[in-house]
Amino acid sequence: MNTQPIGIFDSGVGGTSIWKEIHALLPFENTLYLADSKNAPYGTQSEKKIIDLSIKNTQFLVDKGCKIIVVACNTATTNAIAALRAQFKIPIIGIEPAIKPAALKTQTKAVGILATKGTLSSALFHQTTDLYASGITIIERIGEGLVQLIESGNIESDEMTALLKQYTQPMVESNIDYLVLGCTHYPYLIPQLIKLLPKNVNIIDSGMAVAKHTKATLESNNLINTQIISSKNIFYINTKNTQTMASLLGEHRKVDYLDF
Ligand code: DGL
């Protein structure tokens, strides 16, 4: 029946944006989400530290019986996915900034990308950009401070608006028509970004693509849950602030503190 859960982790609450896409596409799949908020942000840490934390999170989910792992974090994916796939036998799905679709669709030949330092400095990100975005001007910006504000529930704050203005201004001046959100926390900033950006700028992220990839991987490995009853969805966070994550999830979802 394949009732074991899909294991999902992020450095914090941002990966819930990916959980929502997965749950919408695969509503009968059981899920187990781990927010390593105690160690957030990952984006400012060394590659070695990001790999160690990603292995620890994956081991936890594997020990809980997960049948597949979704790394709902661009920073963990771009720095640690090879190490995870080398160490664990079950399928591991990652998330990378949607540079390819943006590069294919841009009319102005200028694309903005907002991501963490860890993602923008990773070898995997550079490989993807070299492969798909030659001839396109890429304006990269580190979203310094954004993850911390989201983790503490300050999405609508003046500080957030000021930072978003600061980071997107050079992109607008370079005439971008696509903004790639290269961090799973950032989809929660879309309402603010729409207000700040010119109308012709499209905002894209990789959430839907990851959900489709997860579904295809479950299918090709014969792992789809055939039990068509409402799913069990468990959310763990390792800080005492369970409230921010619960409010991002909505629908009165229960978030449990885990000493991890
Ligand atoms: N959600 C993570 C990502 O997609 C945030 C990284 C961080 O903690 O800095 O990159």
Side-chain angles (χ1 to χ4, degrees):
M1 281 187 292
N2 293 314
T3 56
Q4 313 98 286
I6 297 174
I8 303 169
F9 80 83
D10 179 32
S11 61
V13 301
T16 54
S17 65
I18 306 304
W19 176 85
K20 286 180 186 178
E21 301 277 8
I22 291 171
H23 184 62
L25 193 65
L26 296 160
F28 302 117
E29 291 295 336
N30 299 315
T31 62
L32 175 53
Y33 182 101
L34 175 65
D36 187 19
S37 292
K38 193 172 75 183
N39 292 302
Y42 280 14
T44 50
Q45 306 194 48
S46 70
E47 184 184 33
K48 162 128 187 21
K49 187 77 202 279
I50 297 167
I51 291 173
D52 289 349
L53 292 169
S54 299
I55 288 174
K56 185 173 170 233
N57 297 337
T58 304
Q59 189 65 59
F60 171 82
L61 295 169
V62 167
D63 290 347
K64 291 279 178 196
C66 293
K67 59 185 174 184
I68 186 171
I69 303 296
V70 178
V71 183
C73 176
N74 292 261
T75 312
T77 299
T78 51
N79 287 273
I81 195 100
L84 296 180
R85 288 188 175 136
Q87 182 152 339
F88 298 95
K89 298 273 173 295
I90 60 174
I92 298 186
I93 309 289
I95 181 164
E96 280 187 72
I99 286 288
K100 185 182 171 186
L104 287 173
K105 288 180 188 158
T106 175
Q107 299 289 312
T108 61
K109 303 290 171 215
V111 167
I113 166 146
L114 197 56
T116 68
K117 184 166 174 245
T119 293
L120 294 175
S121 60
S122 69
L124 193 56
F125 174 73
H126 287 287
Q127 278 163 26
T128 309
T129 311
D130 291 348
L131 194 62
Y132 298 113
S134 66
I136 310 282
T137 306
I138 304 282
I139 299 101
E140 296 174 14
R141 213 70 197 181
I142 297 170
E144 216 180 311
L146 302 182
V147 166
Q148 292 92 319
L149 284 174
I150 296 167
E151 287 289 320
S152 57
N154 289 302
I155 294 180
E156 307 278 333
S157 59
D158 291 345
E159 197 182 348
M160 179 66 87
T161 309
L163 286 178
L164 290 178
K165 257 190 205 153
Q166 183 192 329
Y167 298 154
T168 56
Q169 189 63 31
M171 301 180 183
V172 174
E173 281 165 11
S174 301
N175 197 25
I176 61 158
D177 58 355
Y178 275 84
L179 171 61
V180 177
L181 302 183
C183 171
T184 57
H185 282 69
Y186 300 169
Y188 290 113
L189 306 176
I190 290 175
Q192 291 227 49
L193 286 165
I194 288 173
K195 282 188 214 150
L196 286 175
L197 292 168
K199 296 259 173 298
N200 71 317
V201 177
N202 303 283
I203 302 170
I204 57 171
D205 65 79
S206 315
M208 175 66 87
V210 168
K212 285 183 179 164
H213 189 193
T214 303
K215 182 168 185 250
T217 306
L218 289 177
E219 282 167 351
S220 63
N221 287 277
N222 278 324
L223 287 172
I224 290 278
N225 184 5
T226 51
Q227 214 176 46
I228 312 293
I229 53 170
S230 68
S231 57
K232 192 172 168 201
N233 300 284
I234 297 171
F235 301 94
Y236 286 134
I237 188 165
N238 57 6
T239 63
K240 293 278 165 68
N241 175 15
T242 55
Q243 194 44 49
T244 299
M245 189 153 129
S247 71
L248 291 177
L249 284 163
E251 298 177 354
H252 306 290
R253 299 250 173 222
K254 187 167 151 286
V255 176
D256 288 315
Y257 168 72
L258 181 78
D259 186 11
F260 172 78

